[in-house]
Amino acid sequence: MTDARPMSNALSADAVAQFARDGVVAPINALPPADARQLLADFERIEETRHGRLSGLVRIKPHLLLPFLWDVVHDPRIVDAVASVLGPDILCIGCSSIDKPAASDGYVAWHQDATFWGLSATDGATAWLALTPSTHESGCMEVVPGTQTRQLNHLDTQDPQNMLGAREEVAVKVDPAHARPLILNPGQMSLHHPLVLHGSGRNTTAQRRLGFVIRYVAASVRQEGGTATLVRGCNLSGMELERAPEGEMHPDALARHSDIVRRAGRVIRNGKLAHLAASSAKPVDQS
């Protein structure tokens, strides 16, 4: 049954219109600073148990392994804002931590999220929740508003400093003068459309830049071969639904997660091959 309760953290009409026009809205006050500090402490506690860093396994859909992140993905203070732009039926197709250590060389090339996702439609909104200050100097996300109207060609950069999983980059020149930096304090978040152009620079500060990113789609959207978490309302996609972890890094959850990660990897690989094949068959869109 669709949730009919009032949404206490719903976006204003102006913010909803901005998301439709620009493909992004920020900043949104999602969590109080104290809650953001606690979430950061929880991440650091997990890191301490895993040799000081989060493994690649834990960074992919970690809400299926860590109950506190399952709660964040479902937190109404976040989901209410998402529902303002996606409607009452919502799936989560993925989440991850995005960490730029202090004074590090990692960057995120200009790209559109949905390029390799294999979605039946791009009705989605990614929530980027800051756990540490996200500033120009620390390599905050930047977006080019209004670029969510169509899919652009992407290339494989093969650059190990490009933090994107497929090392992709949009095959057009992006004018930085058109970009908008999304400066966020801990507990604030941005919402961006799966097709809006965005990227981020290097962290030149003495503090890490850590964000928790949740990829939501309308529950009518299907990702062929993938799985999803039902966040609110009804699963209209028919996709196989994921389960909450029985406990922190529980053996049963780990076994399920391993299979889900393999399936997610196939979705991205197939999407990349299909996109690159289609891109090579037509001229690069320079608009």
Side-chain angles (χ1 to χ4, degrees):
M1 178 180 294
T2 298
D3 189 351
R5 66 174 180 79
M7 296 195 300
S8 60
N9 208 32
L11 298 180
S12 68
D14 286 346
V16 172
Q18 181 185 0
F19 185 86
R21 180 185 68 247
D22 296 341
V24 63
V25 60
I28 299 167
N29 294 320
L31 305 182
D35 288 7
R37 286 194 297 271
Q38 181 58 56
L39 189 51
L40 175 62
D42 287 334
F43 267 102
E44 292 174 338
R45 176 178 55 80
I46 297 298
E47 289 174 331
E48 288 174 2
T49 67
R50 304 187 72 82
H51 310 291
R53 64 186 298 273
L54 293 178
S55 70
L57 186 67
V58 180
R59 286 199 298 267
I60 301 170
K61 295 196 177 190
H63 69 300
L64 303 181
L65 297 174
L66 302 170
F68 72 88
L69 290 182
W70 179 272
D71 292 342
V72 173
V73 166
H74 290 80
D75 194 313
R77 293 171 295 184
I78 295 172
V79 179
D80 282 356
V82 174
S84 298
V85 296
L86 295 186
D89 303 302
I90 302 170
L91 298 173
C92 167
I93 60 167
C95 63
S96 59
S97 60
I98 301 184
D99 188 17
K100 290 182 181 176
S104 57
D105 290 331
Y107 73 98
V108 176
W110 291 106
H111 69 289
Q112 295 170 302
D113 281 342
T115 302
F116 303 149
W117 286 1
L119 302 179
S120 61
T122 56
D123 299 327
T126 295
W128 203 107
L129 177 66
L131 303 184
T132 61
S134 188
T135 65
H136 245 315
E137 295 75 17
S138 67
C140 68
M141 180 165 57
E142 298 186 51
V143 303
V144 182
T147 52
Q148 75 280 5
T149 57
R150 55 180 166 166
Q151 177 71 63
L152 300 174
N153 292 352
H154 285 62
L155 304 173
D156 185 349
T157 67
Q158 301 184 13
D159 182 354
Q161 302 302 331
N162 182 359
M163 296 173 65
L164 293 171
R167 310 298 189 199
E168 72 266 29
E169 182 175 27
V170 70
V172 298
K173 185 174 178 57
V174 177
D175 184 350
H178 296 157
R180 173 191 167 193
L182 303 183
I183 297 171
L184 302 173
N185 295 319
Q188 292 184 320
M189 72 177 187
S190 59
L191 287 180
H192 68 267
H193 188 279
L195 284 180
V196 76
L197 269 175
H198 62 290
S200 62
R202 293 169 171 82
N203 181 5
T204 62
T205 73
Q207 180 182 15
R208 77 189 299 188
R209 192 219 66 170
L210 182 65
F212 184 58
V213 182
I214 314 169
R215 301 169 182 90
Y216 296 104
V217 295
S220 57
V221 174
R222 184 173 180 82
Q223 186 182 50
E224 199 61 44
T227 60
T229 295
L230 180 63
V231 174
R232 183 175 290 179
C234 301
N235 176 21
L236 306 176
S237 72
M239 290 177 64
E240 180 181 335
L241 295 181
E242 299 156 344
R243 291 168 50 188
E246 292 84 352
E248 203 165 273
M249 308 296 284
H250 190 279
D252 292 345
L254 280 165
R256 292 193 304 270
H257 182 255
S258 180
D259 178 64
I260 286 169
V261 168
R262 283 194 295 270
R263 293 173 62 173
R266 284 197 297 269
V267 168
I268 298 301
R269 284 193 298 274
N270 292 340
K272 180 177 180 180
L273 290 172
H275 177 82
L276 294 179
S279 297
S280 66
K282 61 185 179 181
V284 172
D285 187 341
Q286 296 291 344
S287 58

Short mmCIF file of all heavy atoms in Angstrom, two decimals, residues 200-261:
data_model
loop_
_atom_site.label_atom_id
_atom_site.label_comp_id
_atom_site.label_asym_id
_atom_site.label_seq_id
_atom_site.Cartn_x
_atom_site.Cartn_y
_atom_site.Cartn_z
N SER A 200 33.75 16.04 -10.12
CA SER A 200 34.36 16.71 -8.97
C SER A 200 35.87 16.64 -9.07
O SER A 200 36.43 15.72 -9.67
CB SER A 200 33.88 16.07 -7.65
OG SER A 200 34.28 14.71 -7.56
N GLY A 201 36.50 17.63 -8.44
CA GLY A 201 37.96 17.72 -8.49
C GLY A 201 38.63 17.03 -7.32
O GLY A 201 38.00 16.31 -6.54
N ARG A 202 39.91 17.26 -7.19
CA ARG A 202 40.72 16.63 -6.16
C ARG A 202 40.51 17.30 -4.80
O ARG A 202 40.15 18.48 -4.73
CB ARG A 202 42.19 16.66 -6.57
CG ARG A 202 42.49 15.79 -7.79
CD ARG A 202 43.88 16.05 -8.34
NE ARG A 202 44.24 15.07 -9.37
CZ ARG A 202 43.86 15.14 -10.64
NH1 ARG A 202 43.12 16.17 -11.05
NH2 ARG A 202 44.22 14.20 -11.50
N ASN A 203 40.79 16.56 -3.76
CA ASN A 203 40.73 17.09 -2.41
C ASN A 203 42.09 17.66 -2.04
O ASN A 203 43.06 16.91 -1.86
CB ASN A 203 40.32 15.99 -1.43
CG ASN A 203 40.21 16.49 0.01
OD1 ASN A 203 40.35 17.67 0.28
ND2 ASN A 203 39.95 15.57 0.92
N THR A 204 42.17 18.96 -1.92
CA THR A 204 43.45 19.61 -1.61
C THR A 204 43.56 19.99 -0.13
O THR A 204 44.54 20.63 0.27
CB THR A 204 43.62 20.88 -2.46
OG1 THR A 204 42.57 21.81 -2.13
CG2 THR A 204 43.58 20.55 -3.95
N THR A 205 42.59 19.59 0.68
CA THR A 205 42.59 19.97 2.10
C THR A 205 43.25 18.89 2.96
O THR A 205 43.61 17.81 2.48
CB THR A 205 41.15 20.20 2.61
OG1 THR A 205 40.48 18.93 2.74
CG2 THR A 205 40.38 21.10 1.66
N ALA A 206 43.35 19.19 4.24
CA ALA A 206 43.95 18.25 5.20
C ALA A 206 42.90 17.36 5.85
O ALA A 206 43.21 16.64 6.81
CB ALA A 206 44.71 19.03 6.27
N GLN A 207 41.66 17.40 5.36
CA GLN A 207 40.57 16.59 5.92
C GLN A 207 39.96 15.75 4.81
O GLN A 207 39.85 16.18 3.66
CB GLN A 207 39.50 17.50 6.54
CG GLN A 207 38.33 16.74 7.15
CD GLN A 207 37.26 17.68 7.71
OE1 GLN A 207 37.26 18.87 7.41
NE2 GLN A 207 36.36 17.14 8.51
N ARG A 208 39.54 14.54 5.14
CA ARG A 208 38.89 13.70 4.15
C ARG A 208 37.57 14.31 3.73
O ARG A 208 36.94 15.06 4.49
CB ARG A 208 38.66 12.29 4.71
CG ARG A 208 37.49 12.20 5.67
CD ARG A 208 37.37 10.87 6.39
NE ARG A 208 37.18 9.74 5.52
CZ ARG A 208 36.90 8.50 5.97
NH1 ARG A 208 36.78 8.27 7.27
NH2 ARG A 208 36.75 7.52 5.12
N ARG A 209 37.14 13.99 2.51
CA ARG A 209 35.80 14.36 2.06
C ARG A 209 35.03 13.07 1.86
O ARG A 209 35.31 12.29 0.97
CB ARG A 209 35.86 15.13 0.74
CG ARG A 209 34.54 15.81 0.35
CD ARG A 209 34.24 15.73 -1.13
NE ARG A 209 34.01 14.37 -1.57
CZ ARG A 209 33.53 14.06 -2.78
NH1 ARG A 209 33.29 14.99 -3.67
NH2 ARG A 209 33.34 12.79 -3.11
N LEU A 210 34.05 12.83 2.74
CA LEU A 210 33.29 11.59 2.72
C LEU A 210 31.81 11.89 2.53
O LEU A 210 31.23 12.72 3.25
CB LEU A 210 33.49 10.82 4.03
CG LEU A 210 32.76 9.47 4.13
CD1 LEU A 210 33.33 8.48 3.11
CD2 LEU A 210 32.89 8.90 5.55
N GLY A 211 31.23 11.24 1.56
CA GLY A 211 29.79 11.35 1.33
C GLY A 211 29.18 9.97 1.22
O GLY A 211 29.85 9.00 0.84
N PHE A 212 27.92 9.87 1.58
CA PHE A 212 27.16 8.64 1.40
C PHE A 212 26.12 8.91 0.32
O PHE A 212 25.32 9.85 0.44
CB PHE A 212 26.49 8.19 2.69
CG PHE A 212 25.77 6.88 2.57
CD1 PHE A 212 26.45 5.73 2.19
CD2 PHE A 212 24.41 6.78 2.85
CE1 PHE A 212 25.79 4.51 2.07
CE2 PHE A 212 23.75 5.57 2.74
CZ PHE A 212 24.45 4.43 2.36
N VAL A 213 26.15 8.12 -0.74
CA VAL A 213 25.36 8.38 -1.93
C VAL A 213 24.32 7.27 -2.10
O VAL A 213 24.67 6.09 -2.09
CB VAL A 213 26.27 8.45 -3.18
CG1 VAL A 213 25.46 8.77 -4.41
CG2 VAL A 213 27.36 9.49 -2.97
N ILE A 214 23.07 7.67 -2.27
CA ILE A 214 21.96 6.71 -2.40
C ILE A 214 21.27 6.97 -3.72
O ILE A 214 20.84 8.10 -4.01
CB ILE A 214 20.94 6.86 -1.25
CG1 ILE A 214 21.66 6.96 0.10
CG2 ILE A 214 19.97 5.68 -1.25
CD1 ILE A 214 20.75 7.35 1.24
N ARG A 215 21.13 5.92 -4.52
CA ARG A 215 20.57 6.04 -5.87
C ARG A 215 19.14 5.52 -5.86
O ARG A 215 18.91 4.31 -5.83
CB ARG A 215 21.46 5.29 -6.86
CG ARG A 215 22.88 5.84 -6.87
CD ARG A 215 23.86 4.97 -7.63
NE ARG A 215 25.20 5.56 -7.56
CZ ARG A 215 26.10 5.27 -6.60
NH1 ARG A 215 25.78 4.38 -5.67
NH2 ARG A 215 27.27 5.85 -6.60
N TYR A 216 18.20 6.45 -5.91
CA TYR A 216 16.78 6.11 -5.89
C TYR A 216 16.20 6.20 -7.30
O TYR A 216 16.62 7.04 -8.11
CB TYR A 216 16.02 7.09 -5.00
CG TYR A 216 16.38 7.06 -3.52
CD1 TYR A 216 17.17 8.07 -2.97
CD2 TYR A 216 15.91 6.06 -2.68
CE1 TYR A 216 17.49 8.07 -1.62
CE2 TYR A 216 16.22 6.06 -1.32
CZ TYR A 216 17.01 7.06 -0.80
OH TYR A 216 17.32 7.07 0.54
N VAL A 217 15.21 5.36 -7.58
CA VAL A 217 14.43 5.47 -8.81
C VAL A 217 12.96 5.29 -8.47
O VAL A 217 12.61 4.70 -7.44
CB VAL A 217 14.85 4.42 -9.87
CG1 VAL A 217 16.28 4.65 -10.33
CG2 VAL A 217 14.66 2.99 -9.35
N ALA A 218 12.10 5.80 -9.35
CA ALA A 218 10.68 5.51 -9.21
C ALA A 218 10.49 4.00 -9.30
O ALA A 218 11.18 3.31 -10.07
CB ALA A 218 9.89 6.22 -10.31
N ALA A 219 9.55 3.47 -8.53
CA ALA A 219 9.41 2.02 -8.42
C ALA A 219 8.83 1.38 -9.68
O ALA A 219 8.71 0.14 -9.74
CB ALA A 219 8.53 1.67 -7.22
N SER A 220 8.51 2.16 -10.70
CA SER A 220 8.11 1.61 -11.99
C SER A 220 9.31 1.34 -12.89
O SER A 220 9.18 0.68 -13.93
CB SER A 220 7.16 2.59 -12.70
OG SER A 220 7.79 3.86 -12.85
N VAL A 221 10.49 1.83 -12.50
CA VAL A 221 11.71 1.68 -13.31
C VAL A 221 12.31 0.30 -13.07
O VAL A 221 12.42 -0.15 -11.92
CB VAL A 221 12.73 2.78 -12.97
CG1 VAL A 221 14.03 2.54 -13.71
CG2 VAL A 221 12.16 4.15 -13.31
N ARG A 222 12.73 -0.34 -14.15
CA ARG A 222 13.33 -1.67 -14.06
C ARG A 222 14.78 -1.61 -14.52
O ARG A 222 15.11 -0.95 -15.50
CB ARG A 222 12.54 -2.66 -14.92
CG ARG A 222 13.06 -4.09 -14.81
CD ARG A 222 12.15 -5.09 -15.53
NE ARG A 222 12.66 -6.44 -15.40
CZ ARG A 222 12.47 -7.22 -14.36
NH1 ARG A 222 11.73 -6.80 -13.34
NH2 ARG A 222 12.99 -8.44 -14.29
N GLN A 223 15.63 -2.30 -13.78
CA GLN A 223 17.02 -2.49 -14.17
C GLN A 223 17.19 -3.97 -14.48
O GLN A 223 17.25 -4.81 -13.59
CB GLN A 223 17.97 -2.06 -13.04
CG GLN A 223 19.43 -2.10 -13.42
CD GLN A 223 20.33 -1.70 -12.26
OE1 GLN A 223 20.19 -2.22 -11.15
NE2 GLN A 223 21.25 -0.78 -12.50
N GLU A 224 17.24 -4.29 -15.77
CA GLU A 224 17.25 -5.68 -16.19
C GLU A 224 18.48 -6.40 -15.63
O GLU A 224 19.61 -5.95 -15.80
CB GLU A 224 17.26 -5.78 -17.72
CG GLU A 224 16.82 -7.13 -18.24
CD GLU A 224 15.40 -7.50 -17.83
OE1 GLU A 224 14.51 -6.63 -17.91
OE2 GLU A 224 15.20 -8.66 -17.41
N GLY A 225 18.23 -7.50 -14.91
CA GLY A 225 19.31 -8.27 -14.32
C GLY A 225 19.72 -7.81 -12.94
O GLY A 225 20.54 -8.45 -12.28
N GLY A 226 19.16 -6.69 -12.48
CA GLY A 226 19.55 -6.15 -11.19
C GLY A 226 18.56 -6.49 -10.08
O GLY A 226 17.54 -7.15 -10.30
N THR A 227 18.88 -6.06 -8.88
CA THR A 227 18.01 -6.19 -7.72
C THR A 227 17.85 -4.81 -7.10
O THR A 227 18.62 -3.89 -7.38
CB THR A 227 18.60 -7.16 -6.69
OG1 THR A 227 19.88 -6.66 -6.26
CG2 THR A 227 18.78 -8.55 -7.28
N ALA A 228 16.86 -4.66 -6.24
CA ALA A 228 16.60 -3.35 -5.65
C ALA A 228 16.01 -3.50 -4.26
O ALA A 228 15.48 -4.56 -3.89
CB ALA A 228 15.64 -2.55 -6.54
N THR A 229 16.12 -2.43 -3.49
CA THR A 229 15.49 -2.35 -2.17
C THR A 229 14.23 -1.51 -2.28
O THR A 229 14.28 -0.39 -2.79
CB THR A 229 16.45 -1.70 -1.16
OG1 THR A 229 17.60 -2.55 -0.97
CG2 THR A 229 15.77 -1.50 0.18
N LEU A 230 13.13 -2.06 -1.83
CA LEU A 230 11.89 -1.28 -1.78
C LEU A 230 11.97 -0.33 -0.60
O LEU A 230 12.08 -0.76 0.56
CB LEU A 230 10.67 -2.19 -1.65
CG LEU A 230 9.32 -1.47 -1.58
CD1 LEU A 230 9.04 -0.70 -2.86
CD2 LEU A 230 8.20 -2.48 -1.31
N VAL A 231 11.94 0.96 -0.89
CA VAL A 231 12.11 1.98 0.14
C VAL A 231 10.76 2.49 0.64
O VAL A 231 10.57 2.72 1.84
CB VAL A 231 12.95 3.14 -0.41
CG1 VAL A 231 13.02 4.30 0.57
CG2 VAL A 231 14.36 2.65 -0.75
N ARG A 232 9.83 2.65 -0.28
CA ARG A 232 8.51 3.18 0.09
C ARG A 232 7.50 2.77 -0.97
O ARG A 232 7.82 2.73 -2.15
CB ARG A 232 8.56 4.70 0.23
CG ARG A 232 7.25 5.33 0.68
CD ARG A 232 7.39 6.83 0.93
NE ARG A 232 8.21 7.11 2.10
CZ ARG A 232 8.50 8.35 2.53
NH1 ARG A 232 8.05 9.40 1.85
NH2 ARG A 232 9.24 8.53 3.61
N GLY A 233 6.28 2.47 -0.52
CA GLY A 233 5.19 2.19 -1.46
C GLY A 233 5.25 0.79 -2.02
O GLY A 233 5.59 -0.17 -1.33
N CYS A 234 4.96 0.67 -3.31
CA CYS A 234 4.82 -0.63 -3.98
C CYS A 234 5.92 -0.83 -5.01
O CYS A 234 6.35 0.12 -5.67
CB CYS A 234 3.46 -0.71 -4.69
SG CYS A 234 2.04 -0.50 -3.59
N ASN A 235 6.35 -2.07 -5.15
CA ASN A 235 7.32 -2.44 -6.19
C ASN A 235 6.57 -2.64 -7.49
O ASN A 235 6.03 -3.71 -7.76
CB ASN A 235 8.06 -3.72 -5.78
CG ASN A 235 9.01 -4.20 -6.86
OD1 ASN A 235 9.42 -3.42 -7.73
ND2 ASN A 235 9.36 -5.47 -6.81
N LEU A 236 6.56 -1.62 -8.33
CA LEU A 236 5.84 -1.68 -9.60
C LEU A 236 6.70 -2.23 -10.72
O LEU A 236 6.20 -2.47 -11.82
CB LEU A 236 5.35 -0.27 -9.97
CG LEU A 236 4.53 0.46 -8.90
CD1 LEU A 236 4.20 1.87 -9.35
CD2 LEU A 236 3.26 -0.31 -8.58
N SER A 237 7.98 -2.44 -10.48
CA SER A 237 8.92 -2.85 -11.52
C SER A 237 8.95 -4.35 -11.73
O SER A 237 9.36 -4.83 -12.79
CB SER A 237 10.33 -2.38 -11.15
OG SER A 237 10.84 -3.15 -10.07
N GLY A 238 8.57 -5.11 -10.71
CA GLY A 238 8.72 -6.56 -10.78
C GLY A 238 10.14 -7.04 -10.51
O GLY A 238 10.42 -8.24 -10.61
N MET A 239 11.05 -6.13 -10.16
CA MET A 239 12.43 -6.52 -9.86
C MET A 239 12.50 -7.34 -8.57
O MET A 239 11.66 -7.18 -7.67
CB MET A 239 13.33 -5.29 -9.72
CG MET A 239 13.59 -4.56 -11.02
SD MET A 239 14.59 -3.06 -10.77
CE MET A 239 16.13 -3.78 -10.19
N GLU A 240 13.50 -8.21 -8.50
CA GLU A 240 13.74 -8.96 -7.28
C GLU A 240 14.16 -8.01 -6.17
O GLU A 240 15.02 -7.14 -6.38
CB GLU A 240 14.84 -10.00 -7.52
CG GLU A 240 15.16 -10.84 -6.30
CD GLU A 240 16.26 -11.85 -6.56
OE1 GLU A 240 16.46 -12.21 -7.75
OE2 GLU A 240 16.94 -12.24 -5.59
N LEU A 241 13.55 -8.15 -5.00
CA LEU A 241 13.80 -7.22 -3.90
C LEU A 241 14.85 -7.76 -2.94
O LEU A 241 14.93 -8.96 -2.67
CB LEU A 241 12.50 -6.92 -3.15
CG LEU A 241 11.43 -6.17 -3.95
CD1 LEU A 241 10.20 -5.92 -3.09
CD2 LEU A 241 11.97 -4.85 -4.51
N GLU A 242 15.64 -6.83 -2.41
CA GLU A 242 16.70 -7.15 -1.46
C GLU A 242 16.14 -7.15 -0.03
O GLU A 242 15.12 -6.53 0.26
CB GLU A 242 17.82 -6.13 -1.61
CG GLU A 242 18.44 -6.13 -3.00
CD GLU A 242 19.11 -4.84 -3.42
OE1 GLU A 242 18.86 -3.80 -2.76
OE2 GLU A 242 19.85 -4.85 -4.41
N ARG A 243 16.88 -7.83 0.85
CA ARG A 243 16.46 -7.97 2.24
C ARG A 243 17.38 -7.20 3.17
O ARG A 243 18.56 -7.02 2.89
CB ARG A 243 16.47 -9.45 2.64
CG ARG A 243 15.41 -10.29 1.97
CD ARG A 243 15.67 -11.77 2.19
NE ARG A 243 15.91 -12.08 3.60
CZ ARG A 243 16.31 -13.28 4.03
NH1 ARG A 243 16.54 -14.25 3.16
NH2 ARG A 243 16.51 -13.50 5.32
N ALA A 244 16.80 -6.80 4.30
CA ALA A 244 17.60 -6.14 5.33
C ALA A 244 18.60 -7.12 5.93
O ALA A 244 18.32 -8.32 6.03
CB ALA A 244 16.69 -5.59 6.42
N PRO A 245 19.78 -6.65 6.33
CA PRO A 245 20.76 -7.55 6.96
C PRO A 245 20.27 -7.99 8.34
O PRO A 245 19.66 -7.22 9.08
CB PRO A 245 22.02 -6.68 7.06
CG PRO A 245 21.52 -5.27 7.07
CD PRO A 245 20.28 -5.27 6.22
N GLU A 246 20.57 -9.24 8.67
CA GLU A 246 20.18 -9.78 9.98
C GLU A 246 20.99 -9.14 11.11
O GLU A 246 20.54 -9.13 12.27
CB GLU A 246 20.38 -11.29 10.01
CG GLU A 246 19.43 -12.07 9.11
CD GLU A 246 19.91 -12.16 7.66
OE1 GLU A 246 20.90 -11.48 7.29
OE2 GLU A 246 19.28 -12.90 6.89
N GLY A 247 22.15 -8.64 10.78
CA GLY A 247 23.03 -8.00 11.74
C GLY A 247 24.22 -7.46 10.99
O GLY A 247 24.35 -7.63 9.78
N GLU A 248 25.12 -6.81 11.70
CA GLU A 248 26.27 -6.19 11.05
C GLU A 248 27.20 -7.26 10.48
O GLU A 248 27.70 -8.11 11.22
CB GLU A 248 27.01 -5.33 12.08
CG GLU A 248 27.84 -4.24 11.46
CD GLU A 248 28.24 -3.20 12.49
OE1 GLU A 248 27.45 -2.24 12.71
OE2 GLU A 248 29.34 -3.34 13.06
N MET A 249 27.37 -7.25 9.15
CA MET A 249 28.23 -8.20 8.45
C MET A 249 27.83 -9.64 8.77
O MET A 249 28.67 -10.53 8.88
CB MET A 249 29.70 -7.96 8.77
CG MET A 249 30.17 -6.52 8.58
SD MET A 249 30.08 -5.95 6.86
CE MET A 249 31.50 -6.78 6.19
N HIS A 250 26.53 -9.88 8.89
CA HIS A 250 26.02 -11.22 9.21
C HIS A 250 26.36 -12.19 8.09
O HIS A 250 26.30 -11.82 6.90
CB HIS A 250 24.50 -11.14 9.42
CG HIS A 250 23.90 -12.39 9.98
ND1 HIS A 250 23.59 -13.49 9.20
CD2 HIS A 250 23.54 -12.71 11.25
CE1 HIS A 250 23.07 -14.43 9.95
NE2 HIS A 250 23.03 -13.99 11.20
N PRO A 251 26.74 -13.43 8.39
CA PRO A 251 27.12 -14.38 7.34
C PRO A 251 26.06 -14.57 6.26
O PRO A 251 26.39 -14.66 5.07
CB PRO A 251 27.37 -15.68 8.11
CG PRO A 251 27.75 -15.23 9.49
CD PRO A 251 26.95 -13.99 9.74
N ASP A 252 24.79 -14.62 6.64
CA ASP A 252 23.73 -14.78 5.63
C ASP A 252 23.65 -13.56 4.73
O ASP A 252 23.47 -13.67 3.51
CB ASP A 252 22.38 -15.04 6.31
CG ASP A 252 22.31 -16.38 7.00
OD1 ASP A 252 23.18 -17.24 6.73
OD2 ASP A 252 21.40 -16.58 7.83
N ALA A 253 23.78 -12.38 5.33
CA ALA A 253 23.76 -11.14 4.54
C ALA A 253 24.97 -11.07 3.62
O ALA A 253 24.86 -10.64 2.47
CB ALA A 253 23.72 -9.92 5.47
N LEU A 254 26.13 -11.50 4.11
CA LEU A 254 27.34 -11.51 3.29
C LEU A 254 27.18 -12.43 2.08
O LEU A 254 27.60 -12.09 0.97
CB LEU A 254 28.54 -11.94 4.12
CG LEU A 254 29.17 -10.86 5.01
CD1 LEU A 254 30.09 -11.49 6.05
CD2 LEU A 254 29.93 -9.85 4.17
N ALA A 255 26.57 -13.59 2.27
CA ALA A 255 26.37 -14.52 1.16
C ALA A 255 25.44 -13.92 0.11
O ALA A 255 25.71 -14.01 -1.09
CB ALA A 255 25.82 -15.85 1.69
N ARG A 256 24.35 -13.31 0.56
CA ARG A 256 23.42 -12.68 -0.39
C ARG A 256 24.09 -11.52 -1.10
O ARG A 256 23.94 -11.34 -2.32
CB ARG A 256 22.16 -12.19 0.33
CG ARG A 256 21.26 -13.27 0.89
CD ARG A 256 19.90 -12.70 1.30
NE ARG A 256 20.00 -11.62 2.25
CZ ARG A 256 19.99 -11.77 3.57
NH1 ARG A 256 19.93 -12.99 4.10
NH2 ARG A 256 20.05 -10.74 4.37
N HIS A 257 24.83 -10.73 -0.33
CA HIS A 257 25.48 -9.55 -0.88
C HIS A 257 26.49 -9.92 -1.96
O HIS A 257 26.57 -9.24 -3.00
CB HIS A 257 26.17 -8.78 0.26
CG HIS A 257 26.82 -7.51 -0.16
ND1 HIS A 257 28.19 -7.38 -0.30
CD2 HIS A 257 26.31 -6.30 -0.49
CE1 HIS A 257 28.49 -6.16 -0.67
NE2 HIS A 257 27.37 -5.48 -0.79
N SER A 258 27.24 -10.97 -1.75
CA SER A 258 28.23 -11.40 -2.74
C SER A 258 27.57 -11.68 -4.08
O SER A 258 28.07 -11.27 -5.14
CB SER A 258 28.97 -12.63 -2.23
OG SER A 258 29.94 -13.07 -3.17
N ASP A 259 26.43 -12.36 -4.06
CA ASP A 259 25.71 -12.66 -5.30
C ASP A 259 25.15 -11.39 -5.93
O ASP A 259 25.22 -11.20 -7.15
CB ASP A 259 24.58 -13.65 -5.03
CG ASP A 259 23.76 -13.96 -6.26
OD1 ASP A 259 24.33 -14.52 -7.22
OD2 ASP A 259 22.56 -13.63 -6.28
N ILE A 260 24.61 -10.49 -5.11
CA ILE A 260 24.04 -9.24 -5.62
C ILE A 260 25.11 -8.37 -6.26
O ILE A 260 24.88 -7.75 -7.31
CB ILE A 260 23.32 -8.51 -4.47
CG1 ILE A 260 22.00 -9.23 -4.14
CG2 ILE A 260 23.06 -7.04 -4.82
CD1 ILE A 260 21.35 -8.75 -2.86
N VAL A 261 26.31 -8.33 -5.66
CA VAL A 261 27.40 -7.54 -6.23
C VAL A 261 27.83 -8.09 -7.58
O VAL A 261 28.09 -7.34 -8.53
CB VAL A 261 28.59 -7.48 -5.25
CG1 VAL A 261 29.83 -6.92 -5.93
CG2 VAL A 261 28.23 -6.63 -4.04
#
